[in-house]
Amino acid sequence: DAKTTQPPSMDCAEGRAANLPCNHSTISGNEYVYWYRQIHSQGPQYIIHGLKNNETNEMASLIITEDRKSSTLILPHATLRDTAVYYCIVKGTSGSRLTFGEGTQLTVNP
Amino acid sequence: ETGVTQSPTHLIKTRGQQVTLRCSSQSGHNTVSWYQQALGQGPQFIFQYYREEENGRGNFPPRFSGLQFPNYSSELNVNALELDDSALYLCASSLRMGASSYEQYFGPGTRLTVT
């Protein structure tokens, strides 16, 4: 599975959009980009995933660049409850494991 | 709430002992993965079970073993506990259809402390 690079930390004001970047320059054609988040001491929570098209669900939007070498997770209206570590993971459909990196600690400030 | 449950929530064991952790998968899922998360680090893949067989294993010694039952629930067994085994153990369930494996949903974890 391809390696990902994320900034170690980011801050966001409550009510504003949080844009979390991820670089995955070695991604293969059949690998998806997954986003999970982990609130302190809880199990990781699945957010969204995508292959090449932009995706949106009730939690977030995922924007993948045309060359697929990077992506951005967007939380449109961040709340204090969105404070968590956000992990960007690349995985093929047949792969069994999620390979977690360091992730980005997002802090939403009042 | 993902529908994935784990037991127990917390556990304290002594070095050299053995431990069994349990996981019930989300309804409709047929695959269970186990992860170890040490303090301050991201989760590390231990192994995955599909159709009651191990289907992929991370860099963990043989004293980490598992089982999957016909109802898709799973156990993680760790023998000869070491202090470094102290961690949050996470179970994740997912659906596998043919060669395709879909998103994994995690349980709340079991906090194991080895003294």
Side-chain angles (χ1 to χ4, degrees), chain A residues 34 36 38 41-44 46 49 87 91-98 100-102, chain B residues 33 35 37 42-43 45 48 55-58 90 99-101 103-108:
Chain A
Y34 285 80
Y36 283 79
Q38 187 173 26
S41 295
Q42 297 182 20
Y46 165 78
H49 74 282
Y87 295 99
K91 187 178 90 67
T93 54
S94 60
S96 57
R97 72 187 69 189
L98 294 170
F100 289 82
E102 301 291 325
Chain B
S33 305
Y35 294 80
Q37 186 173 25
F45 177 76
Q48 183 182 83
N55 175 51
R57 187 179 183 94
L90 296 159
S100 295
S101 183
E103 57 271 21
Q104 297 182 17
Y105 292 88
F106 286 80

Side-chain angles (χ1 to χ4, degrees), chain B:
Chain B
E1 291 285 331
T2 62
V4 180
T5 61
Q6 292 187 242
S7 62
T9 305
H10 296 86
L11 199 55
I12 300 175
K13 288 286 190 178
T14 303
R15 190 172 51 184
Q17 287 187 317
Q18 178 265 343
V19 69
T20 297
L21 310 181
R22 295 178 174 82
C23 172
S24 292
S25 59
Q26 183 170 312
S27 177
H29 287 180
N30 56 12
T31 302
V32 174
S33 305
W34 286 92
Y35 294 80
Q36 179 196 66
Q37 186 173 25
L39 203 60
Q41 298 182 21
Q44 300 296 309
F45 177 76
I46 303 175
F47 43 56
Q48 183 182 83
Y49 276 81
Y50 170 63
R51 290 187 174 178
E52 302 178 47
E53 292 189 358
E54 189 178 288
N55 175 51
R57 187 179 183 94
N59 188 26
F60 282 83
R63 59 189 186 84
F64 285 78
S65 63
L67 284 173
Q68 186 182 32
F69 300 98
N71 66 354
Y72 307 120
S73 65
S74 176
E75 287 182 355
L76 165 65
N77 298 289
V78 186
N79 293 322
L81 284 167
E82 301 177 359
L83 297 179
D84 285 348
D85 295 335
S86 294
L88 180 67
Y89 287 85
L90 296 159
C91 161
S93 76
S94 57
L95 175 64
R96 179 169 171 169
M97 296 177 65
S100 295
S101 183
Y102 297 90
E103 57 271 21
Q104 297 182 17
Y105 292 88
F106 286 80
T110 293
R111 173 71 62 187
L112 173 65
T113 302
V114 182
T115 63

